[in-house]
Amino acid sequence: MLAPKSFHIISFVFGIFFLLLSFYLAFFVKGSYFYTSFALGSWLVFDFIDYKLNNTSILSYFYSHKHRYAFFILFLVSFFACFTVDFVWGVQILKAWIWVNYTVIQYIRMYLIMNISFVLSMYELYRIILTLLKSYIPDINLFNLRFPYNKKRLLYVGILFLGILFFISPIFVVAFNAYDLAGYIMVFPFIAITLISDSITYFTGGEPILEELIRFNRLKVTSIALTVLSAFIVTEGLNLFGREWKYLRMPFYNVQVLTVPLSVLVGWIPLIIGLLSMVNMTKHLTYISENH
């Protein structure tokens, strides 16, 4: 087994290669499917930066023998969430967007490589921003909300139920033939990922991300906001050249910035929070299994 430092250097080199390849594909090769390379390269590069800053990273976490199965748990969770929300609801049912000229091969590559790489790259980007802001923004809550244990547990039962309802909400669009609302409804499955993941985290004794947001933790809320903004600008900006996906039904579709509906930025907020919640839940469930 390679030493962690050597392992991260090798992964960084591969990350740079995939990032440069994605830029070449996006800018110079029409119909090139650049985003798998971009997501994978971003994860490996961000992971290396996180390792240099904190002497740990999500890749080093998975590299540890006792945590390796956690990767497969996260892969299965993210596969189910991304396949359902993106392909079933977004592409097939609500037709909110399309993946341009995708064939079966491209979809297989997406759900085997792109999605898990995207989840982990966003997690690492968040950790990097959080680390860099620690010296400038205090890790304190603006609101000090407390709930009696029995009421808090009941609250999370409601949150879990709401999350399940949000997750299947596109069914109601079909049932009531309300396709004019498709763009608005699409945000609910993204929110559902956070509600369900955080509920599971709470019921198993962990610390949900949702509570830090409700209490408005200055450091974490600012870090999430900057993660959303930077990910949106870079990802949607690259797609202006790569044209790998196209939005069809978005709220206020004609309010656009460089052909990207501004409402897409709003959608990135629950998307990023949901991804962080999934990783947080997976790490917590892994911790429980190792200590019981």
Side-chain angles (χ1 to χ4, degrees):
M1 177 182 274
L2 288 173
K5 184 177 181 180
S6 300
F7 177 73
H8 279 84
I9 291 174
I10 293 173
S11 68
F12 175 72
V13 172
F14 275 102
I16 291 295
F17 168 77
F18 283 115
L19 266 186
L20 293 177
L21 175 62
S22 70
F23 294 148
Y24 170 75
L25 293 174
F27 291 124
F28 300 109
V29 183
K30 185 177 180 181
S32 58
Y33 311 112
F34 74 96
Y35 200 68
T36 297
S37 293
F38 178 75
L40 180 58
S42 297
W43 169 34
L44 296 178
V45 170
F46 289 154
D47 193 274
F48 178 78
I49 297 172
D50 184 22
Y51 179 75
K52 296 295 288 185
L53 290 173
N54 297 304
N55 201 34
T56 185
S57 70
I58 193 65
L59 190 56
S60 60
Y61 177 83
F62 292 140
Y63 190 60
S64 171
H65 181 72
K66 65 179 182 179
H67 292 151
R68 288 181 185 176
Y69 71 93
F71 175 82
F72 295 102
I73 295 174
L74 181 61
F75 176 85
L76 292 175
V77 171
S78 62
F79 176 88
F80 174 75
C82 293
F83 179 79
T84 306
V85 176
D86 174 74
F87 183 75
V88 177
W89 300 146
V91 175
Q92 295 296 318
I93 303 299
L94 300 184
K95 303 187 187 311
W97 54 76
I98 58 170
W99 293 90
V100 180
N101 296 325
Y102 261 44
T103 64
V104 173
I105 297 299
Q106 276 75 48
Y107 277 115
I108 290 174
R109 184 175 61 182
M110 172 195 285
Y111 293 114
L112 290 182
I113 303 174
M114 181 201 297
N115 282 342
I116 187 64
S117 298
F118 173 69
V119 171
L120 294 172
S121 68
M122 293 300 99
Y123 176 76
E124 286 294 9
L125 177 59
Y126 167 73
R127 276 180 54 93
I128 291 170
I129 292 174
L130 182 74
T131 301
L132 295 176
L133 291 181
K134 279 182 179 178
S135 300
Y136 306 99
I137 300 177
D139 187 5
I140 59 173
N141 300 323
L142 290 184
F143 306 108
N144 187 21
L145 303 177
R146 296 183 181 276
F147 298 92
Y149 176 77
N150 58 336
K151 292 185 178 180
K152 187 174 182 180
R153 190 171 183 82
L154 182 62
L155 175 64
Y156 270 97
V157 170
I159 290 174
L160 178 59
F161 176 78
L162 188 64
I164 295 172
L165 190 64
F166 278 10
F167 195 76
I168 64 172
S169 59
I171 292 175
F172 299 105
V173 173
V174 178
F176 296 101
N177 196 27
Y179 287 96
D180 289 343
L181 300 176
Y184 299 91
I185 294 296
M186 197 59 234
V187 73
F188 291 108
F190 286 113
I191 297 173
I193 296 173
T194 297
L195 300 182
I196 295 172
S197 298
D198 272 8
S199 296
I200 294 172
T201 300
Y202 171 78
F203 287 126
T204 53
E207 298 181 3
I209 289 177
L210 192 61
E211 292 190 22
E212 295 176 333
L213 297 179
I214 292 174
R215 292 187 173 95
F216 206 91
N217 182 282
R218 291 178 60 184
L219 175 61
K220 295 184 174 69
V221 169
T222 304
S223 298
I224 289 175
L226 289 178
T227 301
V228 169
L229 188 61
S230 55
F232 168 78
I233 291 173
V234 174
T235 301
E236 301 296 346
L238 272 177
N239 192 53
L240 293 177
F241 300 91
R243 301 292 182 183
E244 190 161 340
W245 60 88
K246 182 179 180 181
Y247 297 105
L248 303 177
R249 287 176 170 169
M250 290 288 121
F252 309 106
Y253 185 83
N254 292 326
V255 182
Q256 299 183 350
V257 178
L258 297 176
T259 73
V260 179
L262 194 59
S263 56
V264 172
L265 173 59
V266 178
W268 272 83
I269 298 172
L271 171 60
I272 295 297
I273 296 173
L275 301 183
L276 297 178
S277 297
M278 280 199 304
V279 178
N280 183 54
M281 176 192 70
T282 302
K283 293 181 71 174
H284 175 65
L285 293 177
T286 303
Y287 173 81
I288 291 176
S289 67
E290 292 170 355
N291 290 275
H292 285 80

